[in-house]
Amino acid sequence: MKAIQLVSLFLVFSLCTSCLDVVEVDLEEATPRTVIDATIKWEYPNESNKQLIQISETRNFFEDEITWISNANVEITNANSQTFIFEEIEPGQYITNNFIPELNADYQLQIQANGIQYEATERFVNPSVIDSIVQDDDGGFTGGEKEVIIYFLDNPEEENYYLARFNTEFLAFPEVDIQSDEFNNGNRMSFSFADEDLKTGDKVEIEFYSISKAYYNFLFRLLLQSGSAGGPFQAQPATVRGNIINSDNFDDFPFGYFSLSTFEKVSVTIE
């Protein structure tokens, strides 16, 4: 009996120690690509003279540190040939304090980084505003979650595209949703946020954006890709291409997007 017990203990010990073996995964290192975050946001109708553009490089899977790109030339020019220069305040962070937003106007982004010229064009669209905010206790898939709903009226005279960001303390990243008025032209529309962890006293920060059709299409593809990924080691879907191009080599494009969006920001305390 003791011999059987000793053998059993040996087998258990062997199984436990075998679980400690280190498995090394040899991942192929891709050539770094430029990443441009040129998100210009106008909290309409407030002044939006200060704007930020960030430029970095892609990193390998196990790298934690961001590689920022310094010494780039960054500028945006409006339809009146007025140029706004972005100065580097710290590695990869470029800021202007004199940007002038104008509705229904085109803007051109030009960046020279690491000897490569990048450019893109985008337009500010007319803003929409939240007309009411409602709370209830019957939201979510279970029908028993606290929920926040924002309502807004769509403009029937034009195509409109919208983005909403909901953020609260327990979320690692904001929840993002987009809509078009394709089937709701001129109607009252809404975005909602519900979560099983949402409770009385929590604050929900809401940002409601009016965006361009091109930016909506980019985000739509991006959200589809993020929802279809099966894990870090599964082959990823096709790269989502933004509107920023390499002026000298169309195929060597950067990641990111040049967007111009009007938005409204509100804070809601859950009751």
Side-chain angles (χ1 to χ4, degrees), residues 52-98:
L52 168 69
I53 291 176
Q54 298 177 306
I55 308 176
S56 60
E57 287 185 346
T58 56
R59 49 188 170 173
N60 293 317
F61 183 80
F62 290 113
E63 292 181 359
D64 294 325
E65 295 295 325
I66 297 176
T67 302
W68 297 107
I69 296 179
S70 290
N71 303 315
N73 295 321
V74 182
E75 62 183 42
I76 292 178
T77 304
N78 65 15
N80 299 318
S81 299
Q82 185 175 11
T83 299
F84 310 103
I85 305 297
F86 286 69
E87 303 288 347
E88 186 174 20
I89 57 169
E90 56 183 84
Q93 315 295 304
Y94 300 85
I95 281 183
T96 185
N97 290 304
N98 64 348

Side-chain angles (χ1 to χ4, degrees), residues 54-248:
Q54 298 177 306
I55 308 176
S56 60
E57 287 185 346
T58 56
R59 49 188 170 173
N60 293 317
F61 183 80
F62 290 113
E63 292 181 359
D64 294 325
E65 295 295 325
I66 297 176
T67 302
W68 297 107
I69 296 179
S70 290
N71 303 315
N73 295 321
V74 182
E75 62 183 42
I76 292 178
T77 304
N78 65 15
N80 299 318
S81 299
Q82 185 175 11
T83 299
F84 310 103
I85 305 297
F86 286 69
E87 303 288 347
E88 186 174 20
I89 57 169
E90 56 183 84
Q93 315 295 304
Y94 300 85
I95 281 183
T96 185
N97 290 304
N98 64 348
F99 186 81
I100 300 175
E102 183 181 348
L103 292 175
N104 292 316
D106 291 330
Y107 289 76
Q108 183 178 37
L109 170 71
Q110 291 187 323
I111 294 176
Q112 187 174 47
N114 291 338
I116 301 175
Q117 185 73 25
Y118 302 103
E119 60 183 42
T121 301
E122 180 65 303
R123 165 173 287 218
F124 265 119
V125 298
N126 286 322
S128 295
V129 296
I130 299 171
D131 64 35
S132 63
I133 302 175
V134 175
Q135 296 185 39
D136 66 49
D137 297 323
D138 303 316
F141 292 110
T142 64
E145 299 174 3
K146 289 188 177 295
E147 181 179 40
V148 177
I149 308 170
I150 62 172
Y151 290 95
F152 56 97
L153 185 62
D154 178 71
N155 183 350
E157 302 300 323
E158 57 190 20
E159 291 184 6
N160 295 289
Y161 302 87
Y162 306 103
L163 178 150
R165 289 164 54 97
F166 297 89
N167 199 13
T168 191
E169 189 175 41
F170 59 77
L171 292 179
F173 301 98
E175 183 171 303
V176 177
D177 195 8
I178 57 175
Q179 288 190 55
S180 77
D181 67 350
E182 182 178 2
F183 303 109
N184 291 287
N185 189 44
N187 295 326
R188 198 169 186 234
M189 300 175 61
S190 67
F191 283 100
S192 65
F193 169 68
D195 194 284
E196 61 181 4
D197 294 324
L198 203 58
K199 62 183 184 300
T200 300
D202 286 345
K203 285 189 177 181
V204 179
E205 302 291 337
I206 305 169
E207 293 182 0
F208 172 60
Y209 293 81
S210 297
I211 61 177
S212 69
K213 180 179 180 179
Y215 191 34
Y216 169 86
N217 289 334
F218 170 77
L219 292 172
F220 183 81
R221 295 192 301 268
L222 194 65
L223 290 171
L224 282 180
Q225 297 281 35
S226 62
S228 64
F233 299 108
Q234 179 172 324
Q236 297 300 301
T239 299
V240 180
R241 185 168 188 157
N243 64 343
I244 307 173
I245 65 169
N246 180 334
S247 302
D248 300 317

